[in-house]
Amino acid sequence: MPRMEVLATPAAMRRWRHRVSGSVGFVPTMGYLHEGHMQLVRRSTGENLHTVVSIFVNPTQFAPGEDFERYPRDEVRDLELLRLAGVGAVYLPSAAEMYPPGYQTYVDVEKVTVPLEGASRPGHFRGVTTVVLKLLNAVQPQKAYFGRKDAQQLRVVKRMVLDLDLDCEIVPCDIVREPDGLAMSSRNVYLTLEQRAAAPVIRRALLEARGLYESGERDADRLRATALAVLAREPLGTVEYISLADDVTLEELSGAVRGPALLSTVVRFGATRLLDNVELG
Ligand code: PAF
């Protein structure tokens, strides 16, 4: 297996990129890799000659008081997993390299960042789009792989790529779940045993609403209420939002659902926010 290179600066990343020829696939991550990340990696290694994975816990996408400092990290294990997966390069910049003194440039995508996570986490998407653009600039991939779990992030990044004429295909990848239906997330380690046992209620709630949709129900309020009723039966979870929105613009739907829609939710277990979604239609 060829040696995996670990690159710590944008300049080193660019030098590596200029040395290789053939297609490059890119998987941006914040590390603490789980099977969800590894499926993105495998998709990329299957579709490209080279795969780059970035590991960077991006401070600008965390609001003050969020979990930036305690976000789980395990660089040694991550690098070993990526080496075994046949990744060509890992881009592992420091915050000082990404945001040196004097840094003052940010990317703002407008409407699609406003609802849902944008409303709950002010400034979050400004941090995400800024870092994703910086990563794409350094890596220059033909394809970049994003999970469908962060459904709004996927739509925001697609919008940015379109609006800024970036020459990169954004490839959405399916959510990877634990056997009991809980979507995989690095933040699942924060859950207590009781919270972890209760958390699959999120998937059950979304599936109940999707079942109703598939049996012909199109009323947006009734679909949201169905998911909410299942969630309400779980006392350990607090629903932050349940949304049924246009699949592309993420504008909240009222009345009859006519086109593709995204049913998404955030449920808090203690201080841990768990996201999940299903696509309808
Ligand atoms: O989804 C994530 O892990 C992050 O938001 C990303 C895309 C790596 C940007 O920091």
Side-chain angles (χ1 to χ4, degrees):
M1 197 178 284
R3 199 164 64 89
M4 180 178 83
E5 298 209 29
V6 179
L7 308 158
T9 66
M13 184 66 244
R14 273 197 301 274
R15 276 196 301 276
W16 180 92
R17 183 64 185 93
H18 289 144
R19 271 202 330 265
V20 304
S21 51
S23 65
V24 172
F26 175 47
V27 181
T29 82
M30 298 207 298
Y32 209 69
L33 304 179
H34 52 66
E35 186 51 28
H37 297 113
M38 296 315 290
Q39 293 232 3
L40 306 183
V41 171
R42 282 194 287 274
R43 177 95 186 258
S44 175
T45 55
E47 292 181 358
N48 302 281
L49 207 53
H50 309 279
T51 290
V52 179
V53 177
S54 64
I55 299 178
F56 180 59
V57 185
N58 174 36
T60 64
Q61 69 188 75
F62 291 78
E66 288 189 351
D67 57 344
F68 173 66
E69 274 84 18
R70 69 181 191 115
Y71 193 84
R73 292 161 168 91
D74 192 344
E75 224 168 85
V76 173
R77 180 176 165 275
D78 288 350
L79 290 176
E80 184 57 10
L81 285 172
L82 296 175
R83 196 182 60 76
L84 292 173
V87 164
V90 177
Y91 183 28
L92 210 142
S94 65
E97 283 289 345
M98 291 297 267
Y99 303 110
Y103 188 91
Q104 51 191 287
T105 304
Y106 294 88
V107 180
D108 255 316
V109 174
E110 295 186 345
K111 291 183 192 147
V112 69
T113 62
V114 172
L116 311 177
E117 290 304 280
S120 296
R121 305 181 66 189
H124 170 66
F125 285 119
R126 182 180 189 251
V128 169
T129 46
T130 300
V131 83
V132 170
L133 182 62
K134 284 170 69 69
L135 295 168
L136 291 176
N137 271 339
V139 178
Q140 299 279 312
Q142 274 82 20
K143 293 182 180 183
Y145 296 80
F146 285 81
R148 286 195 158 94
K149 185 171 80 67
D150 292 307
Q152 189 173 13
Q153 168 172 282
L154 175 62
R155 283 150 182 83
V156 168
V157 168
K158 275 186 170 174
R159 186 75 246 173
M160 174 183 76
V161 165
L162 195 67
D163 289 353
L164 298 183
D165 310 314
L166 302 184
D167 190 13
C168 175
E169 182 190 341
I170 300 301
V171 184
C173 299
D174 286 346
I175 300 176
V176 180
R177 299 181 179 282
E178 302 287 355
D180 60 9
L182 179 64
M184 287 195 185
S185 161
S186 304
R187 290 188 167 102
N188 289 352
V189 293
Y190 297 153
L191 299 172
T192 65
L193 284 179
E194 291 75 15
Q195 291 167 343
R196 173 63 190 83
V201 70
I202 304 173
R203 176 67 171 159
R204 288 200 302 279
L206 295 175
L207 288 183
E208 180 96 7
R210 188 172 75 183
L212 198 65
Y213 175 87
E214 282 168 355
S215 67
E217 178 63 77
R218 289 294 179 272
D219 184 76
D221 285 338
R222 274 201 288 274
L223 291 165
R224 274 185 293 261
T226 299
L228 208 51
V230 177
L231 292 170
R233 292 202 288 272
E234 176 44 67
L236 291 183
T238 306
V239 180
E240 195 173 290
Y241 63 74
I242 176 104
S243 156
L244 183 56
D246 178 275
D247 189 64
V248 175
T249 65
L250 297 185
E251 280 165 34
E252 203 59 27
L253 297 172
S254 56
V257 179
R258 293 182 206 287
L262 180 77
L263 180 64
S264 65
T265 188
V266 167
V267 182
R268 256 180 215 278
F269 285 82
T272 307
R273 302 174 75 246
L274 298 182
L275 284 77
D276 205 346
N277 67 80
V278 290
E279 292 172 11
L280 303 182

